[in-house]
Every structure is written in C-alpha cells, then in structure tokens.
Amino acid sequence: MRTLMKGNEAIGEAAVRAGCRCFFGYPITPQNEIPEYLSGRLPEAGGVFLQAESEIAAINMVFGAAGAGARVMTSSSGPGISLKQEGISFLAGAELPCVIVNIMRGGPGLGSIQPGQADYFQATRGGGHGDYRTIVLAPCSVQEMVDFTYWAFELADRYRSPVLVLADGVLGQLMEPVTLPPELKPDNGNKPWATTGCRGRKRNVIKSLYLNPEELEAHNKKLQEKFGLMQREVNRAEKYRVEDAETVLVAFGISARISMAAVEAVREEGIKAGLLRPITLWPFPEGILQSSLPKAKKVLVVEMSAGQMVEDVKLTVSGKLPVYFYGRTGGLLPSAEEIQTQIKLLEVKVSERSLCQA
Amino acid sequence: MNGKNVLFIWEYVIREETDVAIKLSDLTHQKELLTGGHRMCAGCGAPIAVRQVLHAVPENAQVVTCCPTGCLEVSTSIYPYSSWRTAFIHSAFENAAATISGVEAAYRALKKKGKIGEDFRFVVFGGDGGTYDIGLQALSGMLERGHRVVYVCYNNEAYMNTGIQRSGATQLGTWTTTSPFGERSAGKAQNRKDLTAIAAAHNIPYVAQAAIHSWRDTVNKARKAFQADGSALLNILAPCHRGWRYPMEETVEISRLATETCIWPLYEVENGKWRLTHKVRQKKPLREYLEKQGRYSHLFRPENEAILEQLQAFTDQQWEQLLLRCGETTES
C-alpha cells in the first residue's frame, strides 16, 4: 500500500519500522518534522523520544544509548550537524552504531533555511577531528528516504559505525507516495560488545581514548581496515542512459533529479547525455563511475554547492576526461533549463566555451 | 495638532515605592530604537518587550544589540533590511552571550586606550530556547565574568521560530509539537526551570522577572538593568498567540492573567535583595489563565485533571517560595 508522506515524516516512520526506539533531537529548520513526528510515534511504539537542550547534548545521548546497545537516531541540519561533530568523532572512535540524518540547508554559517548540498565535504571526510569516515547515503526521493533510513540502521550495526543520511530541504519538505517497509521487531540485534551489565561475562569497555601511542595506532589501523572493508562492500549508484552518453552528468540527491530531466530534454535534441547518481557518497562509487564512461568525452558535475563532490569525480576520472562543474549555492536550485544550457555549451568548440573547466 | 501638547487621557503617573516615575507620554515622544515595519506577527509579545526595554536606554548612550537566531532576529533583520536603530550583531543560537561578551570586552579595551569616547550599552534579546536551553552555558559564563551587558530573555515558553517545540521554559502539561497529547502523553511531562533564579544565583547586580502587560514595571526594571555596574538579566514574559493558541488581540490580557494567577510573578533581585514588584492581592485560580489558551485545552479533559492540579500545586509552591525570599511571609 502506498502512503502519501512528507520526506521528514517518512524518515521518522522508517526509523521506527527499522526497530529504532530511541531518538534524541533538537529543533532546527528544515528538519523539524522528524522530531515532531517521532514525539508522537515513538511513545506509541513504546520507545523514547527526547528533545535535548542542544545538538551537543543530543549526539552524546546517542552515544549513551548506542553504547547500551540500542538502535538510535538523531537528526539535524547544517549548523546543528556542525555542533554534533565532536560527538560523531567519539562515536566513530568508540565504534558505536547509530544513524544521523542531515537535512541540508544553505551555508556557511547560519546560511539560510533553503535547501543546499554544501555539507558534502563535512559528511564524506569524517567531519570531526581524527582519522575516520562514516558511510553517507544520499536519497533523491521520499521513497529513498524511507529505504535508506532503513538500510542505514543495518549498515550501522554491520560495521559498528555511525551512518549518515544526507538529504536536503527540498526532500525533507517534499510529499510523495511511498511504500513503507515491514516493521522489524525493536530488536537491538546481537551486540556482544554493548554495555548491558556484565553479570556472567567479562566486562565490556567502550572508549575512544588510548593514551599509549602504540595502542592508539593499533586502534587506528583496525579502524582503517574497517573503512577499507566498507569501501569494498558498500558502493551504490544509479546509472541513467550512460551506455552511449558522450556527456556524462554526475549529481546526487535533488540535483540528480533535476539533472535527469535535463538529460531527457537534451536527448530529444539529439545530444547524447547520461547521468550517474552516486547513492553512497562515502564510500564514493568510483568503480561504478568509471564503468559509466564507455563513450564519454566529458563529465559535468552538478551540485547545490560551489563544487565539492566534483573533487571526488576528478580523483576518479583521474585526468582521462575533462570534468566540468555547474553549481548553485545559497539555497537556490539549478533548473533543468540551466543544466541543459550547460550541456549545450559543452557541445560548442572548446575555444568558444565560456564554461570553466573544474 | 502638536503631539507634545496632547494630554492622553490614559496617561497617569504613580510613584510606587522607590521607583522613578515614568510618564507614558514621555515614552511616546522617545525615538523608537526598534522601528515599525518589521515582520513579527500581529499581536506578538516580543517586540512589545523589546520596545519597553529600549525605552530605558540612558540618554545619549549608543546601543549594540545582539540577537541569537529566533523569531525576533529573523523578522527584524532580513538582509538587506533592518528594523534596528542600533548597531546589530546576529549570532548563532547558542552563543549570543559569548558574542556580546567579546564585543563588550573589545569596547572596554578601546575605551581604556582612549580610542573610543562615547557611552556604549550592550543588550541581548534572546528567546527562551536560546536562553534556557542551548545558550545557558554561554549566558552563565557571561554573568560569572560580569560583562556589563543587559541580557533580555523574551520568554514565550517554546521554540516558536522553528514551529512550537517544547523548551526548558515550557510549563508542565503544555502542548507543543514535540510534547503532544494523546493516550501516552498529556503534553510536556516536566516543570519549567527557574531561569530568573539561576541568573540570580550568579550574584550579579540586577536580575528581574517582568511581563509585557506591566509596561511601567518593565521600563523601570530595564532602567535599573542599564544602570547596573555589571551584568543584568531581564526575563520578560512575551505571550505568543500562534504557539499558545489564543486570539491575537488578547496578548496583553494573557500576560496580565499570568501575573494575577501567580504563574508568572513580577519581582527583582537587586544586589542580592529579592523584592516583589507587583503584590497580587487576590490570587486567581490558574484555570482562568489556562482555559483561555488552546495549548492547555487537553488539560480540561477529565483524564488530565491530575496534571492541572500538579501545575496549580507547582505554581503555588513556587509562589510561596518567592514570597519567602522577598520577605513577604515568614516560614510558619
């Protein structure tokens, strides 16, 4: 059965269905419907909804609940996610699973409350201090917000790691029909490492502090091996008409939906364009991108930022093809027409191009 | 008609105890430092509180205003417009007190070096979310260091700017979008914290609790706050009809009822001395205040009567404690 749901509320419902019974949040636009929805839904489901006094408090409540073995989630937007970074670093260091949702808005600073995608660097490079990465999932529809929230809990538990769901203000506020997944039992899974009371077993220790440098290096090595495993195992992207495409667009989230419309429109005019939509932003789907360029002569990256993912695209393409960039910032969305214009500009002889090569 | 010669029929002057007499007509002739044309809702209590406070700025003093994110900030400073006839600095949600501390410290340094001559005053207008909750750490630091700043909390008892979420100032049993009512919940499950007393515990020169219906009281308190040689805090009840669910024209009346039912008493703590500034002669039952507001409508269902009683009991207990602190009663 399909239900009409707002993106933010759909994330809340998906979390409950994934067996999450703990949510710690704090108000910030444009993600308020997530805590609002869960403040009603979680008590009904026998869970805990708690509005903290700040984002810092909320993420550390997540630390506490995750350490006790609970499936736990928090959500915020740009400035709030920045405040959470210390906690996210601690969660990654202590190897605690949790789901963190970022409904991105325009930045930097207070920026705006309009949609943005400029938290890509923060999300995919760890974000906080120290050597760590988190898995980052980028939905482009309300259905994917449901599916990826559900999936995020599974990945978090599998790798004992925080997992980010990176959406934006459009998706958070968008209403679309969704098919909801079956409801899992609020089972916190098999977590022998959790601090659940050590009667009858050796005590568990959860920490990110290793004062002995050799010990810390060993811990870091172990973490890096885990991140390597994630890179091998978690790669997802959607290919759209790339088989014969001479111009391959790369875009994620809402930018990808708009780019898809632009690809269709220029195809009508005989321009062979295609789109690759990364779904896992970290690990970046390098292999899938490389396999999407059989006929490609150039790559155009479209983002709602001044150019962040374009760096990962360039690293992947590795100088074999020219990589161009088109972005809008400040809460503005690129229109399909604007993107079409950019694609057509690339068709013009190199000497006449006004477009900058990224 | 010359405005200066008009005698308003509602003008009256009462010299109350030690308070300096304030004429309403004088205030109407003062230049407003928060101009009209801002985008606050019609019937909002916050700009009333701000104007009352800014009427107390000493003559010839320059003002630096700092607002953390909130209704007031987003509605009065949408770039490139500003409703402020003061210097204005906007901070993030959690750090208005830290931001203004920096500004005030820089002013002191420049003044000491003789690089700045004028008299500057520093004021923060923060909502209850930014003051009671996320900004409390920065506020406490500012009060402890004793920066000469007037920190004003315009208190509408929830996060209104982000869509009416509960805050540390929200009373027990209140409906908000994150403290819903239904089978498993009867609104907010906790009592509000006492920010005014928390500020007073920093032993700063001046702390007061005020409400927008009592303009003379608020202006008086703001004058004392600006005169204080150190930090001062004003916690001003500023009803929000959108969040509290009452007809917009009743903002002032709702504020008055809050004081008359003693859920929001008016008092000050001057150099450690607690004093009631409005003596409630006939304390009204809390119901009279609650039943006017949609955010409490569920409390009048039979199953929630206990919550109503709890809130009345909490209000009574807080009131008795205040009377004791103010020397109005002695412990029996």
Side-chain angles (χ1 to χ4, degrees):
Chain A
M1 201 186 79
R2 305 245 283 170
T3 318
L4 189 66
M5 284 192 99
K6 198 180 216 187
N8 283 338
E9 294 176 348
I11 284 180
E13 182 57 32
V16 174
R17 285 174 184 249
C20 169
R21 289 294 179 274
C22 292
F23 179 88
F24 304 98
Y26 188 74
I28 187 168
T29 310
Q31 62 83 53
N32 289 311
E33 293 83 0
I34 302 174
E36 283 171 17
Y37 183 82
L38 289 171
S39 73
R41 184 72 172 89
L42 273 175
E44 271 175 19
V48 174
F49 164 83
L50 199 156
Q51 185 185 312
E53 72 275 23
S54 70
E55 287 91 348
I56 298 171
I59 194 72
N60 287 295
M61 289 172 188
V62 168
F63 189 101
R71 277 205 154 172
V72 54
M73 183 168 91
T74 186
S75 65
S76 193
S77 183
I81 295 288
S82 291
L83 283 175
K84 288 184 195 289
Q85 290 306 329
E86 181 194 52
I88 297 173
S89 174
F90 275 58
L91 283 156
E95 296 191 85
L96 289 176
C98 65
V99 174
I100 300 156
V101 178
N102 182 357
I103 305 295
M104 287 184 286
R105 54 192 250 178
L110 204 63
S112 74
I113 55 171
Q114 315 302 331
Q117 291 186 323
D119 300 351
Y120 180 93
F121 280 153
Q122 185 194 50
T124 58
R125 268 63 181 166
H129 58 283
D131 269 329
Y132 76 93
R133 300 290 177 120
T134 55
I135 294 173
V136 184
L137 309 176
C140 83
S141 65
V142 178
Q143 184 63 56
E144 283 193 350
M145 286 171 102
V146 169
D147 298 344
F148 293 178
T149 303
Y150 207 72
W151 183 31
F153 281 102
E154 190 191 312
L155 290 171
D157 280 354
R158 189 193 306 163
Y159 295 105
R160 277 184 68 184
S161 168
V163 174
L164 265 66
V165 176
L166 195 69
D168 63 73
V170 176
L171 293 167
Q173 300 297 322
L174 191 68
M175 285 188 92
E176 285 184 319
V178 290
T179 306
L180 292 165
E183 193 158 349
L184 299 178
K185 273 193 191 156
D187 174 22
N188 292 323
N190 180 28
K191 296 177 179 173
W193 48 264
T195 48
T196 52
C198 62
R199 196 169 297 153
R201 62 161 168 80
K202 257 182 79 185
R203 72 194 174 113
N204 285 335
V205 178
I206 292 172
K207 62 169 186 172
S208 65
L209 174 72
Y210 297 88
L211 284 176
N212 179 336
E214 281 84 13
E215 264 184 53
L216 181 56
E217 189 175 53
H219 176 61
N220 264 302
K221 204 174 156 213
K222 190 179 130 210
L223 288 178
Q224 290 303 321
E225 279 166 10
K226 180 170 85 176
F227 300 145
L229 190 67
M230 289 174 180
Q231 280 180 303
R232 287 191 295 282
E233 293 179 349
V234 189
N235 273 278
R236 205 190 270 190
E238 185 191 358
K239 290 178 181 178
Y240 180 72
R241 303 184 83 166
V242 291
E243 297 71 23
D244 62 341
E246 291 176 355
T247 304
V248 173
L249 276 68
V250 186
F252 70 96
I254 195 70
S255 298
R257 273 176 82 159
I258 305 167
S259 298
M260 200 175 274
V263 166
E264 274 177 33
V266 296
R267 282 258 174 190
E268 299 272 307
E269 297 175 38
I271 297 172
K272 285 181 179 167
L275 168 74
L276 181 85
R277 176 171 73 90
I279 286 170
T280 55
L281 300 184
W282 196 90
F284 189 73
E286 293 172 2
I288 306 177
L289 173 57
Q290 279 159 355
S291 71
S292 308
L293 309 167
K295 297 274 159 53
K297 290 181 178 153
K298 51 205 168 281
V299 176
L300 173 64
V301 180
V302 180
E303 295 178 72
M304 278 147 64
S305 73
Q308 299 193 6
M309 184 177 70
V310 66
E311 293 196 2
D312 284 333
V313 174
K314 281 202 281 184
L315 280 169
T316 307
V317 171
S318 183
K320 286 175 194 145
L321 292 169
V323 176
Y324 300 92
F325 173 74
Y326 182 68
R328 295 303 302 265
T329 62
L332 289 168
L333 293 159
S335 70
E337 292 73 27
E338 279 167 40
I339 299 169
Q340 286 170 46
T341 308
Q342 299 302 318
I343 297 169
K344 286 177 198 163
L345 275 172
L346 291 179
E347 299 297 304
V348 180
K349 275 189 218 151
V350 178
S351 59
E352 293 166 25
R353 263 180 218 153
S354 62
L355 197 65
C356 297
Q357 190 168 329
Chain B
M1 199 158 57
N2 184 347
K4 279 182 185 170
N5 298 329
V6 178
L7 185 73
F8 296 99
I9 50 164
W10 29 276
E11 177 188 314
Y12 57 100
V13 180
I14 301 167
R15 198 173 284 269
E16 230 182 40
E17 295 175 39
T18 56
D19 295 346
V20 191
I22 298 167
K23 284 186 188 172
L24 195 55
S25 60
D26 288 347
L27 299 189
T28 60
H29 295 142
Q30 267 186 22
K31 194 173 176 184
E32 292 280 358
L33 295 180
L34 177 70
T35 65
H38 56 67
R39 302 182 195 182
M40 300 293 275
C41 301
C44 173
I48 304 176
V50 172
R51 288 166 59 214
Q52 287 173 354
V53 169
L54 292 178
H55 274 308
V57 171
E59 225 174 310
N60 301 322
Q62 308 280 329
V63 179
V64 178
T65 305
C66 178
C67 282
T69 302
C71 283
L72 180 69
E73 170 273 319
V74 299
S75 308
T76 59
S77 66
I78 300 171
Y79 186 81
Y81 305 106
S82 172
S83 308
W84 298 87
R85 285 204 185 104
T86 71
F88 185 83
I89 184 166
H90 168 212
S91 73
F93 206 21
E94 68 279 12
N95 57 29
T99 304
I100 203 77
S101 292
V103 178
E104 191 262 1
Y107 167 72
R108 270 180 196 239
L110 291 170
K111 190 142 199 184
K112 205 168 153 189
K113 287 181 182 169
K115 290 189 175 174
I116 203 164
E118 300 104 306
D119 180 17
F120 271 87
R121 299 306 169 102
F122 304 91
V123 58
V124 175
F125 292 103
D128 50 293
T131 307
Y132 279 65
D133 295 345
I134 196 167
L136 189 63
Q137 180 175 333
L139 174 63
S140 179
M142 183 194 95
L143 301 182
E144 186 266 334
R145 290 186 301 269
H147 293 274
R148 193 172 182 193
V149 171
V150 177
Y151 190 106
V152 182
C153 174
Y154 70 94
N155 182 356
N156 50 31
E157 300 188 339
Y159 292 77
M160 299 311 183
N161 184 44
T162 45
I164 325 171
Q165 291 87 9
R166 58 89 89 191
S167 81
T170 309
Q171 299 277 3
L172 177 81
T174 310
W175 164 87
T176 68
T177 55
T178 53
S179 60
F181 61 86
E183 262 175 48
R184 301 295 174 98
S185 162
K188 194 187 164 195
Q190 302 85 9
N191 281 313
R192 61 126 178 86
K193 64 170 100 163
D194 190 349
L195 179 87
T196 317
I198 292 171
H202 288 74
N203 298 316
I204 54 175
Y206 193 73
V207 177
Q209 191 160 290
I212 52 135
H213 71 275
S214 188
W215 62 268
R216 179 177 285 111
D217 181 68
T218 309
V219 176
N220 251 325
K221 285 170 176 168
R223 280 189 179 175
K224 288 185 180 182
F226 279 111
Q227 281 158 12
D229 186 19
S231 307
L233 180 129
L234 301 173
N235 193 358
I236 307 178
L237 190 73
C240 163
H241 63 83
R242 289 288 302 121
W244 295 16
R245 304 295 200 225
Y246 62 81
M248 65 168 83
E249 63 274 16
E250 287 180 20
T251 293
V252 174
E253 200 44 46
I254 294 283
S255 170
R256 191 188 314 280
L257 271 172
T259 299
E260 287 175 356
T261 54
C262 297
I263 198 168
W264 193 260
L266 308 183
Y267 65 94
E268 64 181 8
V269 188
E270 197 172 0
N271 296 313
K273 195 174 177 309
W274 292 63
R275 189 176 76 90
L276 214 56
T277 58
H278 176 77
K279 290 178 184 164
V280 181
R281 311 238 182 272
Q282 198 69 49
K283 187 176 161 196
K284 289 185 174 170
L286 198 52
R287 282 173 167 270
E288 289 186 25
Y289 169 69
L290 304 180
E291 67 194 4
K292 282 184 163 290
Q293 303 172 52
R295 61 175 175 157
Y296 295 117
S297 60
H298 59 288
L299 293 187
F300 293 90
R301 294 178 186 177
E303 67 267 28
N304 290 329
E305 203 169 320
I307 310 274
L308 206 65
E309 281 166 18
Q310 270 183 50
L311 184 55
Q312 179 70 65
F314 176 71
T315 306
D316 292 344
Q317 180 262 332
Q318 292 282 296
W319 172 245
E320 293 302 324
Q321 191 178 312
L322 180 66
L323 289 179
L324 201 64
R325 276 171 164 167
C326 294
E328 298 286 334
T329 52
T330 47
E331 205 142 16
S332 51

